Amino acid sequence: SASPWIGGAAGAAWATVFSQYAALWMFLRWFKTEPGRTRSRIAERMRTSRRSPNFSSPHAPPPPPPTAEKDNSSAKSGGSGSGSGKGKRKGPPPSRGFLSGRFSVLDLFRLPDAKAVREFLPYVGPVTATAVGRISGYLAMSHVASSALGTIDMAAQQIIFSFFCCLTPVCDSLNLTAQSFVPPIFSREKRSRKRADALRRTLRSFLGAGVVMGAALVGLVAMIPFLGGFFTTDVTVMSQVTTAIPGLALFFALSGVVCVGEGMLLGQRDLKFLGNAYGAYFFAVPAVLLRLKRRALAGLQDVGVGTMWKTFSCYQVVRCAIWMIRMAQLQRRTEAESEDDAATGEIVITEPLGL
């Protein structure tokens, strides 16, 4: 389209905005609609439509009452479930409908109460530092590519960053899953050897999954030269894209392990350490990349998009090492606490007694 509001980059921006609001509407509809509520409405409408011809006849018989068989079966199922507990649903409660009758659109414009603010206030600083620290490196790379490199490297950077944004969420799933698995270990188990062993087994399992996922991502990165034809037909641009593949492969080879480490630390609520770490990354990563810019403008080094991604992959290596060291420290602390409790003869109850 020739319109500046619809075609080109503006159209893509508007599509992104509309997709965000559409996602918000879908989430709110899911959270506010109870399970089975929609199906019950449809079934009621179908019953009404079938009975509507009978309403015109004054001698139409009333609808038959529910059979005793169904009542007995439902009573049995309800009684057996409440008596033995086997019929109850295990696991976390479903997310669908948990805001039914508790939320209105006006709640989006109301300020939270003081109690909620006090509960979330300790998380604001670390979580904000984590989010800002993550994107500082991406902004610095874009700045270096646009101010110090040529148009060919800028085009190559756009292609590489597109692949990067597509592949990064794959490993983020490990981060979110680890955040879900770790807190129940601390809620169910008191300070004991059992908790330390459970934490070690969980870490070992997630690290194995992270290594496998990292290897899979490296395989996808190796396919970039074959997929680059969908993004450009310029041979020179594709040659610059190829120079960035080693750095990108190294980054994604460790991405699974890094996401596991971050999720384990978040699950153990090591928020202060993460906030301080990403606060340091916020200044360190752009400083190193801006040093590349100065050297490129001074003619001291032949800096290209490949050099930039190799430098950025070093940040991933450092982050992976720091996460591993921190997780080892927390594991040793958990084991030391369990040994101290065992030495003092403390009685630890890990599960409620069944009477």
Side-chain angles (χ1 to χ4, degrees):
S1 175
S3 173
W5 291 96
I6 300 177
W14 280 115
T16 304
V17 172
F18 293 146
S19 66
Q20 293 280 16
Y21 282 97
L24 175 62
W25 177 81
M26 292 174 64
F27 279 124
L28 289 179
R29 181 175 175 82
W30 178 268
F31 293 148
K32 293 179 64 177
T33 305
E34 296 179 355
R37 187 175 177 182
T38 305
R39 292 193 299 268
S40 63
R41 287 180 177 177
I42 295 175
E44 182 64 27
R45 289 174 183 173
M46 292 178 64
R47 286 195 297 269
T48 304
S49 63
R50 285 198 302 265
R51 295 172 188 168
S52 57
N54 295 333
F55 293 155
S56 60
S57 174
H59 304 289
T67 59
E69 229 177 80
K70 185 188 262 187
D71 294 342
N72 293 336
S73 63
S74 61
K76 285 180 182 179
S77 62
S80 61
S82 60
S84 61
K86 294 181 180 179
K88 293 183 178 179
R89 186 183 184 275
K90 295 183 179 180
S95 61
R96 182 175 183 181
F98 81 99
L99 288 180
S100 178
R102 307 176 185 175
F103 176 82
S104 65
V105 178
L106 294 178
D107 292 336
L108 295 174
F109 304 97
R110 294 193 183 102
L111 295 176
D113 56 7
K115 182 180 179 182
V117 171
R118 286 194 300 269
E119 290 178 353
F120 282 92
L121 191 60
Y123 301 92
V124 173
V127 173
T128 304
T130 301
V132 175
R134 280 182 171 183
I135 64 174
S136 64
Y138 310 147
L139 296 177
M141 281 198 300
S142 299
H143 171 71
V144 172
S146 61
S147 60
L149 306 182
T151 56
I152 294 177
D153 285 290
M154 289 176 59
Q157 169 66 11
Q158 184 65 29
I159 295 173
I160 296 165
F161 196 69
S162 299
F163 280 103
F164 179 83
C165 293
C166 290
L167 297 178
T168 298
V170 176
C171 284
D172 280 341
S173 60
L174 291 174
N175 188 334
L176 300 175
T177 308
Q179 294 179 50
S180 303
F181 271 76
V182 174
I185 296 177
F186 287 85
S187 62
R188 289 197 306 260
E189 309 289 347
K190 302 299 181 182
R191 290 195 335 186
S192 63
R193 188 69 188 180
K194 190 175 181 181
R195 175 199 279 185
D197 293 340
L199 196 60
R200 186 188 301 107
R201 289 193 303 269
T202 303
L203 176 59
R204 189 181 299 123
S205 300
F206 274 109
L207 286 178
V211 170
V212 173
M213 194 165 289
L217 290 178
V218 171
L220 294 177
V221 170
M223 297 177 62
I224 290 179
F226 305 99
L227 301 175
F230 293 98
F231 295 87
T232 181
T233 57
D234 194 317
V235 179
T236 309
V237 174
M238 278 308 305
S239 65
Q240 289 300 105
V241 171
T242 306
T243 61
I245 288 180
L248 195 64
L250 177 58
F251 186 95
F252 280 115
L254 301 175
S255 185
V257 177
V258 168
C259 288
V260 166
E262 188 171 321
M264 294 289 292
L265 294 177
L266 286 171
Q268 299 179 65
R269 296 185 179 181
D270 199 8
L271 300 177
K272 184 178 180 180
F273 174 81
L274 286 171
N276 293 335
Y278 275 107
Y281 299 153
F282 176 80
F283 296 100
V285 177
V288 175
L289 292 173
L290 291 177
R291 183 175 179 272
L292 284 179
K293 171 189 172 181
R294 290 193 297 269
R295 292 179 65 85
L297 294 177
L300 300 177
Q301 184 179 354
D302 185 13
V303 177
V305 68
T307 308
M308 191 168 57
W309 277 96
K310 288 176 183 175
T311 305
F312 191 68
S313 65
C314 294
Y315 154 67
Q316 183 80 325
V317 173
V318 172
R319 189 167 56 152
C320 180
I322 292 176
W323 285 179
M324 293 298 104
I325 293 173
R326 182 59 177 177
M327 284 191 296
Q329 290 177 347
L330 295 180
Q331 182 66 34
R332 286 196 297 267
R333 181 187 302 175
T334 304
E335 293 176 354
E337 290 174 352
S338 63
E339 291 175 359
D340 292 342
D341 292 341
T344 55
E346 180 181 349
I347 300 177
V348 180
I349 300 177
T350 59
E351 296 178 358
L353 298 177
L355 299 178

